[in-house]
Amino acid sequence: MSTLSALAQKKIAPLVNNIGPDIGGLQLTAKSTLKRLKAGETLYLEGDTAPYCYQVISGIVKEFNTLSDGRRQVIEFYNADDIFGISELHSQLHTAEGVTDCLLRCFDRNALVHEIASSPQLSQRFLDMLMLRLHRVRERLVMLGRMSSVQRVAAFLVRLSKEQATTQHIIVMVSRQEIADHLGLTIETVCRAITELKKRGLISMASKRDFSIPEINLLDDIAHGEHGVH
Amino acid sequence: MSTLSALAQKKIAPLVNNIGPDIGGLQLTAKSTLKRLKAGETLYLEGDTAPYCYQVISGIVKEFNTLSDGRRQVIEFYNADDIFGISELHSQLHTAEGVTDCLLRCFDRNALVHEIASSPQLSQRFLDMLMLRLHRVRERLVMLGRMSSVQRVAAFLVRLSKEQATTQHIIVMVSRQEIADHLGLTIETVCRAITELKKRGLISMASKRDFSIPEINLLDDIAHGEHGVH
DNA sequence: CGTGCAATTGAAAGTACTCAAGCCACGTGG
DNA sequence: CCACGTGGCTTGAGTACTTTCAATTGCACG
């Protein structure tokens, strides 16, 4: 498990990106266009044809599935530099929507797939990307399958803290509802878990979106079950 | 969601396999050796170094994580032809164990990675494999995050039925405990869910491991929430 | 100073879990 | 051949946790 969390540490992307299209330093020659996506705006729907794939330049995008009763499960949040829409086949398997206002780079999916296939370096890069993403999802599988609401929220905050690399103080860019849909909980349970963590002195909040984490290791311990927390 | 389940339909592997090492028809030149693994025997532990990766020739292998309190989350079951251990980095991220007696083909991990990197076709094959696996995990993420115990068990049986392609009658090769660890439930809850499905006439059992599914679509409907089943 | 939305809190209901006991097929030994 | 133990599965009763439904608070905005 320690290995998993070590893996989860994601390098921080600069807020403003490099000029041209590239992936991990490798230049992409496939044509790309820019697209703005507003917060709450839908990029594509589950079942849509998938002619494009996207790279986040700035902002946050979420991909989610909607169940027949309207509840949602957020599959993944994508931050700056992340590429998504590439692993789909003929049609989109999830719905994508802007969490914040976003700037995206759009690639023709076939052209990009072709370019990847013809470059060993790019192929390797994509293999690595998929492996990393697979690990992340598997970590979350353990969370959703075996961890309590408090543990999930704690783990969520720890992950955010590591991503933002601003220990002590993090800004949660997603709503409580989005956290809930990400963690497989209801919005109320997320609130109560946050309250519980506050009560225990593990976090404090300057505003509803600004969290302080005095001792990240303590929070991480909670997330990993070191304590009588179910 | 329908697209997801369509994707999940896995071609059935023959019980006895091709003679040589290959992946989706592509020959592998990397050296390989055979290894027997008994039911319940551990292949590797989370945290072990990962010099090898494996292909299942016959039998079933499970990969799982163990939590600090001893509970387990099964990450994936691997059947004939499946390759695993490839997506790990320096050390294993999960523990692998035989569900049944198994015959495995072992590859030197570095050699295989190198061979993949040097073959565009193999790279493509592996990209596809990882994408498919990612989709599968994401499906399960929705299950664990948003579906009831009965829905999870129903979905599990439907998936098994599609894999075995023997509609009407399936043999569950894994124990109740393994199903529970796979679905993020307890063994008792799995039993009760099975009982519930029996009560509703959606399944029947010749023995504890032999299930009959008179109308798979009805079971699939339950799994997808078409009904007042939470 | 209302309006509206996000977040929070409370109370009741529901679902899955825990602990405990019973069942059943199977293998062993008397 | 049968009593006895074993391990996997099932069922029951009570508990713990999360959800549901219903208010309430807090804050930004007009």
Side-chain angles (χ1 to χ4, degrees), chain B residues 62 77 99 172-180 187 209:
Chain B
K62 67 176 172 186
F77 291 114
V99 170
V172 179
M173 295 295 284
V174 302
S175 71
R176 297 291 192 269
Q177 184 63 60
E178 285 165 329
I179 297 174
I187 187 172
R209 300 295 186 97

Side-chain angles (χ1 to χ4, degrees), chain A residues 84-89 93 109 130 133, chain B residues 131 134-135 138:
Chain A
F84 63 96
I86 184 69
S87 58
E88 324 309 12
L89 306 182
L93 297 167
R109 196 184 166 282
L130 285 176
R133 214 163 268 184
Chain B
M131 287 180 188
L134 194 57
H135 290 314
R138 286 172 166 180

